[in-house]
């Protein structure tokens, strides 16, 4: 069975400082991995995805994530946080089975002045 | 603009009543999904449909029903059998019939049982 674990339920950073949101995966197969962002009372939007090509994946809005098989991790980073980045972020994995996209429990990112 | 439209955005229901949430997409996507979101629990799959007139149960289908009579539409009925229906419901779709993970989401419907 596959699963994803988001290690922090809440992260707070100051504007202009780096962002790190952590995700570990557990899968018997090579997974596809995703990060989604959700602003309050909105649907989710895909930030980036890893599908066994380059291990460093660049996404929208300056976010990127690195797939590390040895650590079973797929952490999301951004060099400099902006106020508009405040949202909830979800890591998800998919081993290719139809519709079995497994989501983590989410990390709420707070950005302060 | 192409996208997924969910309605209503907010809905209140009395205990014992069925309620239907609408989901319409004009993306020409084949597969559609319903997820339930509760605080601190992420998203859980209720039902999905890969083609018209066919659908499969997800992880938490009990107390819910769906139909897929048209490619564009995938309504979800929350029945009185659902013991804890208060939640945020998200509809999504993907191109093709398998879930590549690239889901397109609607803006959600928040259901509150009074």
């Amino acid at each position: 069975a596959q699963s994803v674990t988001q290690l922090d339920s809440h992260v707070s950073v100051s504007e202009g400082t780096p962002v790190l949101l952590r995700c570990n995966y557990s899968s018997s197969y090579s997974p596809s991995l995703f990060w989604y962002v959700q602003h309050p009372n909105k649907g989710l939007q895909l930030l980036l995805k890893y599908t066994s090509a380059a291990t460093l994946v660049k996404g929208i809005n300056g976010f990127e994530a690195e797939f590390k098989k040895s650590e079973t991790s797929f952490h999301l980073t951004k060099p400099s946080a902006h106020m508009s980045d405040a949202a909830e972020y979800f890591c998800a994995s998919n081993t290719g089975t139809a519709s079995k996209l497994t989501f983590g429990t989410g990390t709420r990112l707070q950005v302060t002045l | 603009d192409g996208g997924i439209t969910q309605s209503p955005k907010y809905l209140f229901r009395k205990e014992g009543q069925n309620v239907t949430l609408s989901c319409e997409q004009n993306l020409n996507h084949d597969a559609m999904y319903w997820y339930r979101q509760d605080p601190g629990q992420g998203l859980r799959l209720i039902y999905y449909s890969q083609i018209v007139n066919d659908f499969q149960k997800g992880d938490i289908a009990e107390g819910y029903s769906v139909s897929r009579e048209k490619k564009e539409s995938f309504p979800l009925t929350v029945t009185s059998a659902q013991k804890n229906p208060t939640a945020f419901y998200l509809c999504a779709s993907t191109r093709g019939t398998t879930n590549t993970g690239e889901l397109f989401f609607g803006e959600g419907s928040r259901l509150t049982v009074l």
Side-chain angles (χ1 to χ4, degrees), chain A residues 52-80:
Chain A
S52 75
T55 56
L56 182 62
V57 181
K58 293 188 185 299
I60 62 173
N61 300 335
F63 285 94
E64 61 183 37
E66 186 172 7
F67 175 74
K68 292 187 177 180
K69 188 173 182 178
S70 61
E71 299 177 9
T72 61
S73 69
F74 189 58
H75 300 337
L76 182 70
T77 60
K78 184 174 181 177
S80 176

Side-chain angles (χ1 to χ4, degrees), chain A residues 45-106:
Chain A
Q45 179 186 16
L46 181 66
L47 273 179
L48 49 82
K49 64 177 181 178
Y50 165 77
T51 55
S52 75
T55 56
L56 182 62
V57 181
K58 293 188 185 299
I60 62 173
N61 300 335
F63 285 94
E64 61 183 37
E66 186 172 7
F67 175 74
K68 292 187 177 180
K69 188 173 182 178
S70 61
E71 299 177 9
T72 61
S73 69
F74 189 58
H75 300 337
L76 182 70
T77 60
K78 184 174 181 177
S80 176
H82 191 271
M83 294 297 289
S84 60
D85 295 327
E88 187 146 22
Y89 292 80
F90 292 93
C91 182
S93 73
N94 180 0
T95 57
T97 304
S99 304
K100 289 300 182 182
L101 188 66
T102 301
F103 286 87
T105 53

Side-chain angles (χ1 to χ4, degrees), chain B residues 27-100:
Chain B
L27 300 166
N28 199 31
H29 284 176
D30 293 294
M32 298 184 73
Y33 310 83
W34 275 105
Y35 287 90
R36 171 180 171 139
Q37 184 176 17
D38 296 281
Q41 294 194 44
L43 276 71
R44 293 180 289 167
L45 182 64
I46 304 172
Y47 268 99
Y48 64 99
S49 167
Q50 295 171 285
I51 56 173
V52 174
N53 292 323
D54 189 40
F55 47 83
Q56 285 77 41
K57 293 182 180 180
D59 300 318
I60 56 165
E62 185 176 350
Y64 299 97
S65 66
V66 293
S67 63
R68 186 88 186 275
E69 296 177 3
K70 299 186 298 182
K71 186 176 183 179
E72 305 79 27
S73 178
F74 191 42
L76 173 73
T77 297
V78 185
T79 75
S80 56
Q82 169 50 233
K83 294 191 183 343
N84 185 19
T86 294
F88 191 52
Y89 291 89
L90 287 161
C91 180
S93 67
T94 54
R95 206 174 289 121
T97 56
T98 57
N99 187 344
T100 61

